[in-house]
Structures are given as C-alpha cells and as structure tokens.
Amino acid sequence: MIDTVKQCVRIKQNVEPFPAPIYVTRPVFPKIEEVTAKLEDIWRAQWLTNNGPQHHKLEEELTEYLKVPYLSLFNNGTIALMVACQSLRLTGDVITTPFTFAATPHVLSWNNIRPIFCDIDPVTMNINADQIEFMITPQTTAILAVHVFGTPCDVEKIQAVADKYGLRVVYDAAHAFGVEVDGKGIGTFGDISMMSFHATKLYHTVEGGALMHKDKHLKERIDLLKNFGIKNEEEVVMPGINGKLNEVQAAIGRIMLGYMAEEREKRIALGKIYDEELGDVPGITLMPKVEDNIRLNHQYYVIRIDETKFGRSRDYVYDHFKEYNVFTRKYFHPLCSEFTCYRQLSSAAPEKLPVAVKVGREVLSMPMYGGLTEDDARKICGILKSFRN
Ligand code: T4K
C-alpha cells in the first residue's frame, strides 16, 4: 500500500529517483597520480610523521593561503580545539552556542569546563552576540563561538564584550576554510580559531585540522601541547597530547590546495541554482546573505522550512527525499543543549533558547559538492517543491 502511494506521488511529479544516492556532501578526491607522486617523495625521505617536511611545508602554505600570522596543524579539529582550551588555560564556564556539531561543547567537557548555552541569531544562526553579556558570571573565562556553515559571527561585537569583561575568545571555524572579513583571514579574529580538515569539509586532509593565532609564544605552547609537551629528549614541560598530522595526510593537504578555487566556483554555481529555484517558495528561507566585505566559502547550502507556510515539516521533507535517493542532513538537530549529557544544565532549558529550538526544527542541509551537476541541483529543487501541500 505504502509503495503504491509512493509510486502515485512519483507519477504525479513525473520524477524518477536518482539512480545512485545523492548525499549531503562528497569529499573532493585529488587525482591519484598526484597522490602517488607525493607518496614517492615521502618514501624517498623515509619520514612518516612527527613534524616532517610535508607537514612543515603545509603549515607554511596554509599560513599564507588563510592569511593568518601563525598556524599549527592537527590530526583533527576536535583535538585542535581541545588544545586551544588548554593553551589558553581556560577553566570554569565558557559561553557557547547550542547550534553546532557535538564536538564544540564536548571539547569544553573534556577540559572540565561547563558549557553555557547562549541563544542564536535568527538570520545567521550564529551565537547571538547581543545576548552574551547577560550570561557572563564570575565563573566565565571565555566565549567559544562557531562560524556556523561558514557565515562569520559578529566578530567585532564579540570582541567588544570579551574586552569589557576580560574574557578570551575562541572560534570554532570548522566550517570556515578560506572565509575572509574585510580581506582578513577568518582565523585572525579572537585569541585562537580552529579549522577542521575532515573529508566532508570543502578543504580536507582526509582527517585533520588547525589552530590559527596571532602570538608567536602561543604557537610555541600549542606545538608543545600537540606533541606530548616534549621540549627535547631530556625535558617534558607540560601534559600534552598527541595531536600530530602525519606526512601522508599533510601531502594530500598540499595537493588539495590546488583544487580549492575550482571546487568553490562549482559550489557558487550550485548555490545560485538553489537561490533561483527556491527563492520564491513560501516557507523556505535560503542560506543567509552577507555583506560585500565578506568572502564566503560556499561549503554548505542550508535552508529552513517553516511548516506553517510550506505545508510540510522539515522532517517530512527529509524523510520523503530518501524516496528519491536524496540524503539531506539535519545539521544541527538535535541541538547540543538537547543531548542527554547537557540537558540538565540550566542554560540548556529550551525556553531560554527559543531561536535555536525553532531553527533546529526547521533546518535542512542540502546536497552541496562540486561533483553534483547543475541539472541534479534543479531536479532536487523540483522534488522539494513537489512536496508542498
Ligand atoms: N566543530 C564543528 C562546528 C564541526 O562541524 C566539526 C565537524 C567539528 C568541530 C570537529 O571537527 P573534526 O574533529 O571532525 O575535524 C561530519 C564530519 O565527520 C564532521 O567532521 C563535521 N563536523 C560534521 C558536520 O559532519 P557526520 O557524522 O555527519 O559525517 P558522515 O560520515 O555522516 O558524512 C556525511 C556525508 O558525507 C555522508 O552521508 C556521505 C558523505 N561522505 C562522508 C565520508 C566520511 C562520503 O561520501 N565519503 C566519506 O568519506 O559528521
């Protein structure tokens, strides 16, 4: 019976499911010959990890590419963010957003820090900079903000609050590779910014990440912390961790830099199709627009679905897309404040986070990757529009 209904719906729309699954993203794969050539370099050098030549060169190349004073590579973004908190000696409470990936508050917990959830802005979906001040207590040591989906936070307002109360600012810039504000790399804001180089990101090193900062001494401390605190063969000066990126992944990262411009252009073109096709659909809010002084990376394309105006809920759309072999994602639902490990916190009460709760119910990440054709994107939009009630 259910199959018959599904078939009728498809016949009505005259749209066949995609022959192969369409995922929210697909990693950019460099040409295998380029990887083989780099592997031969590594084999010749007989150096696999622990700050080898590929690592050294990638740090230099990314420092320039991302327009930051200092950068330290890591084996993933989560460990990088843990080290960021350690390097600034954060304790007590840190104000953060509930609308993010699990790693953001988990990193605080792993540092024995209590996350304090602050509501988000209804347009950018980033932490609401106007509300941070009201959440500060004597226990607050920092603000951990996320440039969610690559849209920059209100960096000026956040810095002003931090300066007024003597707080540190850490940015989770996991989504913000190559984003710039007024020509400045996004990693130049706050005390430290973290980027993720996971396979699902615009730029990747398979797994990987980086911390970006402005202070030479902080770089020395971070580099010690990511290598067990080992200063030399005789001295271990702090309780560090293993956060090192290996040579194979660093080499892939060097190759991947050459793919970024084209991948970004392809995603810009896909974003325009989503804008065109979905712009006039009642109940659909498009990816937030930004001022001209901001260079985005177009990594994600996220819409919001208002059930009362669209006639179907986000969950309906997410479920029914699967019948067409389209696998969207509900980034970021559930909210971190709804996780069993955080929902007992007083800042996690849903009535204190009304915007985040609404956005979490409405948000849907659409397929977005260079390998998606423009026809695919139009077909996906057609399917979405056909769900309207
Ligand atoms: N902060 C924020 C704000 C973050 O978003 C993240 C990570 C972090 C911190 C932590 O950074 P890392 O420690 O990860 O460096 C993915 C990623 O694993 C995660 O890195 C990312 N955020 C998060 C938003 O997305 P999942 O569990 O949704 O990934 P997964 O495996 O379901 O992959 C998504 C889709 O991508 C799949 O449906 C198919 C496609 N895919 C994936 C992989 C891994 C492929 O086609 N091939 C692949 O190899 O978390």
Side-chain angles (χ1 to χ4, degrees):
M1 174 64 183
I2 289 176
D3 277 353
T4 322
V5 173
K6 283 180 189 167
Q7 234 171 5
C8 291
V9 173
R10 273 188 216 130
I11 289 163
K12 187 181 123 204
Q13 293 155 196
N14 199 17
V15 176
E16 282 303 310
F18 284 94
I22 300 282
Y23 293 113
V24 69
T25 193
R26 301 310 310 250
V28 180
F29 276 84
K31 289 198 189 82
I32 193 76
E33 310 83 69
E34 288 180 75
V35 178
T36 313
K38 276 274 186 290
L39 287 179
E40 284 169 0
D41 289 347
I42 294 171
W43 260 237
R44 265 192 298 276
Q46 291 282 289
W47 201 275
L48 285 172
T49 187
N50 290 6
N51 207 10
Q54 298 294 334
H55 180 285
H56 186 70
K57 285 190 188 121
L58 181 62
E59 269 198 1
E60 276 181 5
E61 288 163 3
L62 280 173
T63 304
E64 194 186 329
Y65 191 96
L66 296 171
K67 302 186 180 172
V68 290
Y70 296 101
L71 179 145
S72 304
L73 287 171
F74 276 84
N75 48 6
N76 62 62
T78 306
I79 296 285
L81 201 53
M82 280 179 56
V83 167
C85 297
Q86 284 282 320
S87 70
L88 296 173
R89 299 179 176 86
L90 300 184
T91 56
D93 291 351
V94 169
I95 297 171
T96 191
T97 169
F99 188 68
T100 181
F101 189 59
T104 317
H106 286 354
V107 155
L108 298 175
S109 295
W110 276 64
N111 276 288
N112 280 326
I113 292 166
R114 182 168 63 156
I116 303 294
F117 295 113
C118 176
D119 207 359
I120 61 172
D121 180 274
V123 177
T124 64
M125 298 176 271
N126 287 326
I127 194 166
N128 186 331
D130 290 324
Q131 291 191 14
I132 293 173
E133 189 163 7
F134 305 113
M135 321 222 37
I136 296 170
T137 69
Q139 282 72 47
T140 311
T141 57
I143 300 160
L144 171 52
V146 181
H147 303 297
V148 81
F149 308 129
T151 305
C153 292
D154 190 336
V155 287
E156 272 179 26
K157 229 178 237 176
I158 291 175
Q159 195 58 54
V161 178
D163 290 345
K164 186 168 167 193
Y165 293 91
L167 304 177
R168 298 292 205 160
V169 179
V170 178
Y171 283 109
D172 178 335
H175 303 172
F177 183 88
V179 171
E180 293 175 13
V181 179
D182 292 326
K184 291 188 207 135
I186 193 76
T188 58
F189 298 97
D191 292 284
I192 302 187
S193 296
M194 174 279 277
M195 265 180 203
S196 165
F197 303 152
H198 183 264
T200 55
K201 299 291 188 286
L202 176 73
Y203 170 81
H204 73 83
T205 56
V206 183
E207 290 261 5
L211 291 182
M212 292 152 292
H213 30 83
K214 294 179 280 243
D215 175 350
K216 184 167 172 282
H217 298 294
L218 192 56
K219 171 146 177 75
E220 284 162 13
R221 183 166 161 76
I222 285 169
D223 288 347
L224 281 169
L225 279 167
K226 78 171 197 193
N227 186 28
F228 314 99
I230 296 174
K231 191 171 176 195
N232 56 46
E233 286 181 38
E234 301 295 329
E235 287 173 285
V236 177
V237 293
M238 56 188 82
I241 199 163
N242 183 353
K244 293 171 277 120
L245 186 73
N246 66 55
E247 287 290 278
V248 175
Q249 288 175 247
I252 290 177
R254 296 186 64 207
I255 299 167
M256 291 306 299
L257 278 176
Y259 286 77
M260 283 308 95
E262 192 186 343
E263 180 66 19
R264 183 171 172 273
E265 287 306 315
K266 285 181 183 165
R267 293 186 191 212
I268 289 175
L270 293 170
K272 281 191 184 141
I273 290 173
Y274 283 137
D275 284 347
E276 264 167 47
E277 295 279 338
L278 302 177
D280 293 334
V281 181
I284 301 265
T285 304
L286 304 179
M287 189 75 188
K289 299 284 169 280
V290 295
E291 300 289 326
D292 288 348
N293 64 328
I294 292 172
R295 177 190 191 268
L296 295 174
N297 65 10
H298 304 272
Q299 176 169 307
Y300 293 93
Y301 195 98
V302 172
I303 59 168
R304 284 168 54 190
I305 300 170
D306 178 339
E307 184 177 359
T308 55
K309 295 186 188 137
F310 184 71
R312 299 287 190 192
S313 68
R314 182 276 313 275
D315 288 345
Y316 178 97
V317 171
Y318 168 84
D319 288 339
H320 285 74
F321 255 143
K322 290 183 186 169
E323 292 167 16
Y324 293 88
N325 232 350
V326 177
F327 297 90
T328 56
R329 292 297 285 266
K330 303 179 197 176
Y331 295 134
F332 289 103
H333 165 88
L335 300 173
C336 295
S337 49
E338 292 166 343
F339 296 172
T340 49
C341 49
Y342 299 122
R343 65 180 175 216
Q344 79 293 348
L345 293 172
S346 81
S347 66
E351 61 275 16
K352 293 183 179 163
L353 305 167
V355 180
V357 169
K358 182 168 160 46
V359 171
R361 233 186 268 134
E362 295 181 346
V363 75
L364 193 69
S365 284
M366 301 291 282
M368 183 54 137
Y369 50 94
L372 194 73
T373 68
E374 299 191 6
D375 285 347
D376 292 340
R378 286 195 199 282
K379 178 167 164 176
I380 291 166
C381 293
I383 296 169
L384 173 59
K385 286 189 265 193
S386 75
F387 294 149
R388 278 193 71 200
N389 203 1

